[in-house]
Short mmCIF file of all heavy atoms in Angstrom, two decimals:
data_model
loop_
_atom_site.label_atom_id
_atom_site.label_comp_id
_atom_site.label_asym_id
_atom_site.label_seq_id
_atom_site.Cartn_x
_atom_site.Cartn_y
_atom_site.Cartn_z
N VAL A 1 0.84 -1.18 0.00
CA VAL A 1 -0.05 0.02 0.02
C VAL A 1 0.97 1.29 -0.01
O VAL A 1 2.01 1.20 0.60
CB VAL A 1 -0.97 0.01 1.25
CG1 VAL A 1 -1.93 -1.16 1.16
CG2 VAL A 1 -0.14 -0.01 2.53
N ASN A 2 0.40 2.39 -0.50
CA ASN A 2 1.19 3.55 -0.58
C ASN A 2 0.92 4.38 0.72
O ASN A 2 0.53 5.41 0.80
CB ASN A 2 0.66 4.40 -1.74
CG ASN A 2 1.62 5.51 -2.09
OD1 ASN A 2 2.73 5.55 -1.71
ND2 ASN A 2 0.98 6.62 -2.68
N LEU A 3 1.41 3.69 1.76
CA LEU A 3 1.30 4.19 3.11
C LEU A 3 2.69 3.86 3.79
O LEU A 3 3.29 2.78 3.43
CB LEU A 3 0.15 3.77 4.00
CG LEU A 3 -1.25 4.12 3.40
CD1 LEU A 3 -2.31 3.29 4.20
CD2 LEU A 3 -1.49 5.55 3.65
N PRO A 4 3.06 4.53 4.91
CA PRO A 4 4.28 4.15 5.57
C PRO A 4 4.07 2.83 6.48
O PRO A 4 4.27 2.98 7.74
CB PRO A 4 4.64 5.32 6.37
CG PRO A 4 3.32 5.97 6.70
CD PRO A 4 2.48 5.78 5.44
N LEU A 5 3.86 1.72 5.88
CA LEU A 5 3.69 0.58 6.59
C LEU A 5 3.80 -0.64 5.72
O LEU A 5 3.80 -0.60 4.47
CB LEU A 5 2.22 0.45 7.30
CG LEU A 5 1.04 0.45 6.37
CD1 LEU A 5 0.61 -0.92 5.92
CD2 LEU A 5 -0.22 1.21 7.06
N ASP A 6 4.07 -1.82 6.28
CA ASP A 6 4.10 -3.14 5.72
C ASP A 6 3.25 -4.00 6.29
O ASP A 6 2.84 -3.89 7.47
CB ASP A 6 5.65 -3.63 5.65
CG ASP A 6 5.77 -4.69 4.70
OD1 ASP A 6 5.20 -4.71 3.58
OD2 ASP A 6 6.54 -5.63 4.88
N PHE A 7 2.70 -5.05 5.65
CA PHE A 7 1.74 -6.00 6.15
C PHE A 7 2.00 -7.45 5.56
O PHE A 7 2.59 -7.55 4.39
CB PHE A 7 0.35 -5.51 5.93
CG PHE A 7 -0.13 -5.68 4.48
CD1 PHE A 7 -0.82 -6.82 4.12
CD2 PHE A 7 0.06 -4.55 3.66
CE1 PHE A 7 -1.25 -6.89 2.75
CE2 PHE A 7 -0.39 -4.73 2.34
CZ PHE A 7 -1.07 -5.88 1.80
N SER A 8 1.40 -8.33 6.24
CA SER A 8 1.44 -9.71 5.70
C SER A 8 0.18 -10.47 6.32
O SER A 8 -0.19 -10.16 7.54
CB SER A 8 2.70 -10.47 6.19
OG SER A 8 2.81 -11.72 5.73
N ILE A 9 -0.44 -11.33 5.59
CA ILE A 9 -1.52 -12.14 6.13
C ILE A 9 -1.29 -13.62 5.92
O ILE A 9 -0.50 -14.12 5.08
CB ILE A 9 -2.83 -11.75 5.44
CG1 ILE A 9 -2.67 -11.92 3.93
CG2 ILE A 9 -3.12 -10.23 5.76
CD1 ILE A 9 -3.97 -11.54 3.18
N SER A 10 -1.98 -14.40 6.80
CA SER A 10 -1.80 -15.92 6.73
C SER A 10 -3.06 -16.44 7.29
O SER A 10 -3.72 -15.87 8.12
CB SER A 10 -0.57 -16.35 7.50
OG SER A 10 -0.49 -17.82 7.46
N HIS A 11 -3.42 -17.70 6.79
CA HIS A 11 -4.53 -18.46 7.42
C HIS A 11 -4.25 -19.87 7.27
O HIS A 11 -3.81 -20.36 6.31
CB HIS A 11 -5.91 -17.96 6.85
CG HIS A 11 -5.97 -18.12 5.40
ND1 HIS A 11 -6.48 -19.22 4.88
CD2 HIS A 11 -5.85 -17.18 4.43
CE1 HIS A 11 -6.49 -19.05 3.57
NE2 HIS A 11 -6.11 -17.76 3.25
N SER A 12 -4.71 -20.56 8.28
CA SER A 12 -4.52 -22.10 8.31
C SER A 12 -5.77 -22.68 9.07
O SER A 12 -5.98 -22.53 10.23
CB SER A 12 -3.31 -22.52 9.00
OG SER A 12 -3.27 -23.97 9.04
N GLU A 13 -6.73 -23.06 8.22
CA GLU A 13 -8.00 -23.59 8.77
C GLU A 13 -8.77 -22.35 9.45
O GLU A 13 -8.68 -21.32 8.91
CB GLU A 13 -7.86 -24.83 9.49
CG GLU A 13 -7.31 -26.00 8.68
CD GLU A 13 -7.10 -27.24 9.36
OE1 GLU A 13 -7.78 -27.54 10.34
OE2 GLU A 13 -6.19 -28.06 8.93
N PRO A 14 -9.20 -22.59 10.70
CA PRO A 14 -9.92 -21.48 11.34
C PRO A 14 -9.15 -20.21 11.77
O PRO A 14 -9.60 -19.15 12.02
CB PRO A 14 -10.62 -22.05 12.57
CG PRO A 14 -10.59 -23.51 12.24
CD PRO A 14 -9.29 -23.77 11.53
N LEU A 15 -7.75 -20.44 11.88
CA LEU A 15 -6.95 -19.31 12.41
C LEU A 15 -6.50 -18.41 11.18
O LEU A 15 -5.89 -18.86 10.30
CB LEU A 15 -5.72 -19.86 13.19
CG LEU A 15 -4.75 -18.89 13.79
CD1 LEU A 15 -5.47 -17.90 14.79
CD2 LEU A 15 -3.62 -19.52 14.44
N VAL A 16 -6.87 -17.13 11.43
CA VAL A 16 -6.51 -16.09 10.40
C VAL A 16 -5.76 -15.01 11.06
O VAL A 16 -6.21 -14.56 12.05
CB VAL A 16 -7.82 -15.47 9.77
CG1 VAL A 16 -7.52 -14.61 8.65
CG2 VAL A 16 -8.75 -16.66 9.21
N VAL A 17 -4.63 -14.55 10.36
CA VAL A 17 -3.67 -13.64 11.10
C VAL A 17 -3.26 -12.55 10.11
O VAL A 17 -3.11 -12.75 8.92
CB VAL A 17 -2.48 -14.38 11.56
CG1 VAL A 17 -1.56 -13.44 12.39
CG2 VAL A 17 -2.84 -15.59 12.38
N CYS A 18 -3.11 -11.35 10.61
CA CYS A 18 -2.58 -10.26 9.92
C CYS A 18 -1.51 -9.56 10.66
O CYS A 18 -1.76 -9.27 11.90
CB CYS A 18 -3.68 -9.23 9.39
SG CYS A 18 -3.07 -7.83 8.52
N ALA A 19 -0.36 -9.35 10.21
CA ALA A 19 0.71 -8.56 10.89
C ALA A 19 0.95 -7.31 10.15
O ALA A 19 1.01 -7.32 8.89
CB ALA A 19 1.99 -9.37 10.85
N LEU A 20 1.17 -6.28 10.87
CA LEU A 20 1.42 -4.92 10.33
C LEU A 20 2.52 -4.20 11.14
O LEU A 20 2.55 -4.37 12.29
CB LEU A 20 0.05 -3.98 10.39
CG LEU A 20 -1.16 -4.49 9.73
CD1 LEU A 20 -2.16 -4.98 10.84
CD2 LEU A 20 -1.83 -3.38 8.99
N SER A 21 3.30 -3.40 10.37
CA SER A 21 4.36 -2.68 11.05
C SER A 21 4.64 -1.46 10.28
O SER A 21 4.50 -1.36 9.04
CB SER A 21 5.66 -3.49 11.05
OG SER A 21 6.62 -2.67 11.74
N GLY A 22 4.79 -0.43 11.03
CA GLY A 22 5.24 0.92 10.42
C GLY A 22 6.77 1.19 10.61
O GLY A 22 7.22 2.27 10.28
N THR A 23 7.51 0.13 11.07
CA THR A 23 8.92 0.38 11.39
C THR A 23 9.85 -0.67 10.60
O THR A 23 10.98 -0.60 10.65
CB THR A 23 9.20 0.39 12.74
OG1 THR A 23 8.83 -0.96 13.37
CG2 THR A 23 8.52 1.49 13.46
N ALA A 24 9.10 -1.68 10.07
CA ALA A 24 9.95 -2.80 9.49
C ALA A 24 9.24 -3.52 8.38
O ALA A 24 7.94 -3.40 8.31
CB ALA A 24 10.34 -3.72 10.71
N LYS A 25 9.98 -4.28 7.66
CA LYS A 25 9.29 -5.16 6.66
C LYS A 25 8.97 -6.38 7.42
O LYS A 25 9.59 -6.85 8.31
CB LYS A 25 10.37 -5.58 5.52
CG LYS A 25 10.77 -4.43 4.62
CD LYS A 25 11.67 -4.88 3.52
CE LYS A 25 10.94 -5.93 2.55
NZ LYS A 25 11.84 -6.21 1.37
N VAL A 26 7.74 -6.85 7.22
CA VAL A 26 7.25 -7.84 8.10
C VAL A 26 6.53 -9.09 7.23
O VAL A 26 5.94 -8.91 6.11
CB VAL A 26 6.16 -7.31 9.05
CG1 VAL A 26 4.91 -6.79 8.30
CG2 VAL A 26 5.80 -8.36 10.10
N GLY A 27 6.66 -10.30 7.78
CA GLY A 27 6.00 -11.45 7.19
C GLY A 27 5.54 -12.30 8.26
O GLY A 27 6.08 -12.41 9.38
N VAL A 28 4.30 -12.95 8.05
CA VAL A 28 3.75 -13.76 9.08
C VAL A 28 3.22 -15.14 8.48
O VAL A 28 2.78 -15.07 7.31
CB VAL A 28 2.64 -13.00 9.95
CG1 VAL A 28 1.33 -12.88 8.85
CG2 VAL A 28 2.16 -13.91 11.08
N ASP A 29 3.37 -16.21 9.13
CA ASP A 29 2.79 -17.46 8.60
C ASP A 29 2.32 -18.21 9.85
O ASP A 29 3.02 -18.34 10.87
CB ASP A 29 3.84 -18.21 7.92
CG ASP A 29 3.16 -19.52 7.30
OD1 ASP A 29 2.36 -19.28 6.33
OD2 ASP A 29 3.57 -20.63 7.58
N THR A 30 1.15 -18.86 9.75
CA THR A 30 0.65 -19.69 10.78
C THR A 30 0.37 -21.08 10.11
O THR A 30 -0.09 -21.11 9.11
CB THR A 30 -0.58 -19.11 11.39
OG1 THR A 30 -0.97 -19.87 12.59
CG2 THR A 30 -1.73 -18.97 10.50
N GLU A 31 0.60 -22.03 10.92
CA GLU A 31 0.44 -23.49 10.45
C GLU A 31 -0.14 -24.36 11.54
O GLU A 31 0.24 -24.19 12.70
CB GLU A 31 1.68 -24.08 9.87
CG GLU A 31 2.36 -23.41 8.85
CD GLU A 31 1.65 -23.40 7.46
OE1 GLU A 31 0.82 -24.30 7.30
OE2 GLU A 31 1.98 -22.61 6.63
N ARG A 32 -1.23 -25.06 11.20
CA ARG A 32 -1.65 -26.11 12.27
C ARG A 32 -0.81 -27.27 12.18
O ARG A 32 -0.33 -27.78 11.23
CB ARG A 32 -3.15 -26.52 11.71
CG ARG A 32 -3.79 -27.37 12.84
CD ARG A 32 -5.27 -27.48 12.68
NE ARG A 32 -5.83 -28.08 13.85
CZ ARG A 32 -7.17 -27.92 14.10
NH1 ARG A 32 -7.99 -27.27 13.24
NH2 ARG A 32 -7.71 -28.43 15.20
N TYR A 33 -0.43 -27.78 13.45
CA TYR A 33 0.37 -28.84 13.51
C TYR A 33 -0.30 -30.13 12.86
O TYR A 33 -1.49 -30.33 13.11
CB TYR A 33 0.68 -29.12 15.06
CG TYR A 33 1.54 -28.23 15.64
CD1 TYR A 33 1.08 -27.40 16.70
CD2 TYR A 33 2.82 -28.21 15.41
CE1 TYR A 33 1.90 -26.50 17.38
CE2 TYR A 33 3.80 -27.23 15.98
CZ TYR A 33 3.20 -26.44 16.92
OH TYR A 33 4.06 -25.53 17.70
N ARG A 34 0.54 -30.78 12.08
CA ARG A 34 -0.01 -32.00 11.36
C ARG A 34 1.09 -32.97 11.20
O ARG A 34 2.31 -32.55 11.11
CB ARG A 34 -0.73 -31.70 10.07
CG ARG A 34 0.11 -30.79 9.11
CD ARG A 34 -0.82 -30.48 7.87
NE ARG A 34 -0.06 -29.67 6.84
CZ ARG A 34 -0.05 -28.39 6.79
NH1 ARG A 34 -0.52 -27.69 7.73
NH2 ARG A 34 0.65 -27.84 5.83
N PRO A 35 0.82 -34.25 10.87
CA PRO A 35 1.88 -35.23 10.70
C PRO A 35 2.84 -34.76 9.55
O PRO A 35 2.49 -34.18 8.56
CB PRO A 35 1.23 -36.52 10.35
CG PRO A 35 -0.14 -36.34 10.95
CD PRO A 35 -0.49 -34.89 10.75
N PRO A 36 4.12 -35.15 9.66
CA PRO A 36 5.00 -34.86 8.62
C PRO A 36 4.69 -35.51 7.17
O PRO A 36 4.03 -36.49 7.20
CB PRO A 36 6.38 -35.43 9.13
CG PRO A 36 6.21 -35.43 10.59
CD PRO A 36 4.83 -35.79 10.79
N ASN A 37 4.98 -34.78 6.16
CA ASN A 37 4.81 -35.32 4.82
C ASN A 37 6.00 -35.02 3.97
O ASN A 37 6.80 -34.07 4.23
CB ASN A 37 3.47 -34.80 4.19
CG ASN A 37 3.59 -33.27 3.90
OD1 ASN A 37 4.29 -32.81 3.09
ND2 ASN A 37 2.83 -32.50 4.73
N SER A 38 6.23 -35.79 2.87
CA SER A 38 7.35 -35.69 2.09
C SER A 38 7.58 -34.43 1.39
O SER A 38 8.64 -33.98 1.10
CB SER A 38 7.50 -36.88 1.19
OG SER A 38 6.27 -36.91 0.32
N THR A 39 6.43 -33.80 1.12
CA THR A 39 6.47 -32.50 0.31
C THR A 39 7.16 -31.50 1.03
O THR A 39 8.06 -30.79 0.55
CB THR A 39 5.02 -32.09 -0.14
OG1 THR A 39 4.33 -33.14 -0.93
CG2 THR A 39 5.01 -30.81 -0.86
#
């Protein structure tokens, strides 16, 4: 956005998250625990 801020969004099943900052580049990720997979 053309504003002095950075943002990132993530969602995993019911949990939805947004991170915002006016002082740093930011990234967010949320994951539900699940059994390992080869991918």
Side-chain angles (χ1 to χ4, degrees):
V1 294
N2 190 26
L3 293 170
L5 61 87
D6 193 31
F7 71 90
S8 179
I9 59 179
S10 179
H11 55 89
S12 179
E13 299 182 27
L15 181 58
V16 183
V17 186
C18 176
L20 305 100
S21 178
T23 59
K25 296 183 66 174
V26 66
V28 66
D29 187 64
T30 187
E31 302 289 343
R32 187 164 195 159
Y33 288 115
R34 53 184 184 271
N37 64 74
S38 58
T39 300

